[in-house]
Each structure stands twice: as C-alpha cells, then as structure tokens.
Amino acid sequence: MRLFKKKQKLSGGEFAFGGFLDDESELLNEALLDREWDAARRILAAADKEHFMYYVAVAAATPGVEEWIDGPIRAQPDDPLPLLIGGARAISWAGEARGDGWANTVPKEAWPVWFQRLELAENLLDQALDRHPAMADAWRYKIALSRYRQLPAVERWRRFNRLIEIDPSHLFGHEEMLDCLLPKWGGSWDAAFRFARERTAARPATNVPLVIMKVHRNFRWEGENGENRYYQRPDVASEIYDAAEQSFWHDDYETTTLTPILWNYFAFALTYGRHFKQACTLYDAIGSDFVRKEPWHTAEHYRDMRDWARKEAADPHYHDE
C-alpha cells in the first residue's frame, strides 16, 4: 500500500503535509477534475470498503463535480454511484455557500442557498439508497445531513444505527454521529462521551477508538479546561492512551489506508499528555511522509511537538506519568 504520493509543500524544512492517502485517490481526483466519469467510476467500483469510504470523501471535496455529475446520473439511472457522489458533493457545495464561521457570521443571502443544496444532497442520497439500501457511505452522509438540517435526535440515531448494521466499524460515520451529539448541535457532553466510550468498547482493533480522542479534542475548549493543557489531566491522558491500545496498538489491528490519520491525532494528544515515549513511536511511523494537516495546522507545529517529545523521552530521568 503506497501512501501520500503527492504532498503539499509548506515551510518547515523537510516537512510537508500529506495530500492524498494513496495513488488511486489522486487518480480519482484527477479524473473528476477532468470530468472523466468512466475513469472515476472504475476506481470507485474496484475499491474495498475502507478505500471506498475515503475515495467518496475525496470526491465530495473535489470542486466542480456538482457542475456535471447530473450527466452520469441521467445516463445511468440505475447506478447508485453517481447519485452517491452527487449527494456527497452537494453537502460540501452547501458548505462553500455557508462558509465555516459561526451562524451569526453567515451572510443572510447564503442561508437559502445552503438549505437548497442540502435538500439536493438529501434527494440524491435517497435515490442512491433506493437503488442500493446497504450503501454505507450514503448513510454516513445522511447522518451529516441530519445534523445540518437539524433533524430530531431519533432520526439521527436511526441513520447511524442503519450505518452500523451495514458496517460496524465505519470511521467517518462514527465521527459524523459524534458531531451530532455535541452540545453545539443540540446534544450534550454526557451523550458524546458515552457514545465514544461505548463504540470504542464495541469495536476494538479498528479505527473507531479515534472518537475517544475526538471527543476530548472538542471538550478541551469547554469552560476552564485550558485548551491543550487539558490533555495533561491524568484521567484524560490515560483514557486517550487506552484508546490507542484499543486501536492501532491492539494485537489484532490491521493497518489500513486511514491509519496515518490516527497516528497524527494520537501523537498530538499523547505528547500533550506527557506520554512522550509512546508518542515517539508514532512520530517514527509518521516520519516526514505521513504528516497530515490535522491536528497540527502547520508543519512547524508538528516539528516542534515531535522534537519536544523526543527530547523528553531521551531524558534519563524521564518516566511515564
């Protein structure tokens, strides 16, 4: 498995953020930019479920797909794939109209466009599911829509439960549901933490335990948690470390194309949590090739955190806290 063939060059010496997670995802992006649906479809159709999950996300983020995907939809009315890609892309397209700021920063004229594009996404995904009810990634995006369209909690759970009937370890679907449970989307911290812990316990040796790190990452901003100092709390550091052991450090875990995403997030949290030696094993795996933009934001931040962990781990007086 080849990862990160193309990287976005940034300042920071030898460091660069990874672009695509494998060669096929880069080819998919190029095919979609060139409006070559047949080539894109071949890549999607040949993918296993883990790669397919990622490839659909790549397609959703590819600008311009919304301008021409209706052609393949009309030409292949029984095929769920162009409907899925059209629906996933429509959500990103809606986000481009709204922007990523708080609701009070969104221009008044953007709201009708936002909701119109979300409705388009819902309709396309429903049509995809009419043709292929067990298409897990359609349900992943339906979960996202349940949040964006502010649907009742019972409907959010219905969509998630349908997803995990099909694919119990679908990482992106778990992340979508976790977001549904956050207070800013009408949930609560109790519900979000309970979900992360229950799903981690239910799916050891998978990527799902990343939701433990993600819920703590959100909670660090709450009240007087102290942002990144929050990770130093013994209970927080311990739970995040245990989640890593339940995931990529589990004896039965198999590395996938998504594994470097987890390496980066856990390296970040374990470093702040003072698990320096364990974090260093992840920095060694990440190297200079597998650096992702999230959670570091800058290449310099990655470099500084890595060097800090290595310095502390090399201290003869160091011991795990």
Side-chain angles (χ1 to χ4, degrees):
M1 177 175 62
R2 294 181 62 189
L3 303 177
F4 305 158
K5 177 181 176 183
K6 179 179 284 188
K7 294 177 285 185
Q8 177 186 354
K9 293 297 181 182
L10 300 169
S11 60
E14 76 276 23
F15 300 101
F17 288 147
F20 299 101
L21 289 174
D22 62 11
D23 292 342
E24 291 297 292
S25 56
E26 182 179 358
L27 292 173
L28 173 64
N29 175 255
E30 292 172 353
L32 293 170
L33 289 173
D34 292 339
R35 305 189 177 197
E36 295 287 348
W37 173 248
D38 288 345
R41 194 192 186 288
R42 282 194 295 271
I43 294 170
L44 290 165
D48 62 28
K49 65 180 182 179
E50 187 88 4
H51 287 82
F52 186 80
M53 181 195 323
Y54 175 61
Y55 294 167
V56 176
V58 169
T62 303
V65 169
E66 69 281 356
E67 298 173 1
W68 57 268
I69 195 65
D70 58 330
I73 290 172
R74 289 194 305 268
Q76 303 160 10
D78 296 327
D79 187 353
L81 280 179
L83 291 161
L84 170 64
I85 298 306
R89 175 57 196 159
I91 296 175
S92 298
W93 191 35
E96 291 168 11
R98 182 194 182 282
D100 57 5
W102 293 98
N104 60 7
T105 69
V106 178
K108 182 178 179 180
E109 61 272 17
W111 287 113
V113 181
W114 158 256
F115 286 112
Q116 180 184 36
R117 292 176 182 178
L118 292 180
E119 183 177 4
L120 171 64
E122 194 91 63
N123 290 338
L124 290 171
L125 293 171
D126 284 343
Q127 291 180 63
L129 288 167
D130 286 344
R131 290 154 178 77
H132 187 354
M135 180 173 275
D137 288 272
W139 288 108
R140 172 255 168 114
Y141 287 101
K142 291 273 285 182
I143 297 167
L145 285 167
S146 75
R147 181 171 75 251
Y148 295 140
R149 303 186 77 193
Q150 301 178 356
L151 300 183
V154 65
E155 177 60 15
R156 301 181 188 193
W157 277 110
R158 185 189 74 82
R159 296 180 182 199
F160 176 73
N161 287 332
R162 184 68 183 103
L163 168 72
I164 61 173
E165 287 175 4
I166 301 163
D167 183 356
S169 301
H170 196 289
L171 174 60
F172 295 163
H174 278 78
E175 291 181 316
E176 297 287 4
M177 190 63 205
L178 175 62
D179 285 346
C180 284
L181 296 170
L182 295 176
K184 65 182 178 181
W185 290 107
S188 68
W189 289 118
D190 284 347
F193 274 100
R194 183 166 58 250
F195 171 80
R197 289 163 179 159
E198 289 178 355
R199 292 309 301 164
T200 290
R203 303 308 301 170
T206 70
N207 294 323
V208 169
L210 178 60
V211 294
I212 288 287
M213 193 279 171
K214 288 290 189 76
V215 71
H216 281 294
R217 183 170 172 79
N218 279 281
F219 192 58
R220 67 186 168 142
W221 302 106
E222 185 73 6
E224 299 180 357
N225 280 338
E227 300 179 16
N228 290 331
R229 293 191 302 276
Y230 167 76
Y231 293 116
Q232 298 175 23
R233 285 174 38 178
D235 58 326
V236 174
S238 177
E239 183 166 39
I240 291 173
Y241 178 83
D242 289 347
E245 287 201 317
Q246 284 289 87
S247 183
F248 49 83
W249 283 334
H250 193 286
D251 289 342
D252 296 329
Y253 181 84
E254 295 184 7
T255 300
T256 76
T257 194
L258 301 181
T259 301
I261 296 174
L262 278 74
W263 289 342
N264 280 262
Y265 274 107
F266 278 96
F268 179 95
L270 292 173
T271 300
Y272 276 119
R274 301 300 198 266
H275 286 289
F276 294 116
K277 287 187 176 179
Q278 293 83 356
C280 283
T281 68
L282 299 180
Y283 290 117
D284 290 344
I286 293 166
S288 60
D289 291 329
F290 296 174
V291 186
R292 306 301 296 165
K293 185 174 182 179
E294 294 294 337
W296 315 105
H297 298 303
T298 69
E300 289 83 0
H301 190 197
Y302 169 75
R303 179 193 61 207
D304 292 347
M305 292 282 282
R306 183 204 65 177
D307 292 351
W308 176 37
R310 287 178 173 174
K311 178 181 178 181
E312 294 291 341
D315 187 332
H317 301 295
Y318 167 77
H319 63 87
D320 293 337
E321 296 183 4

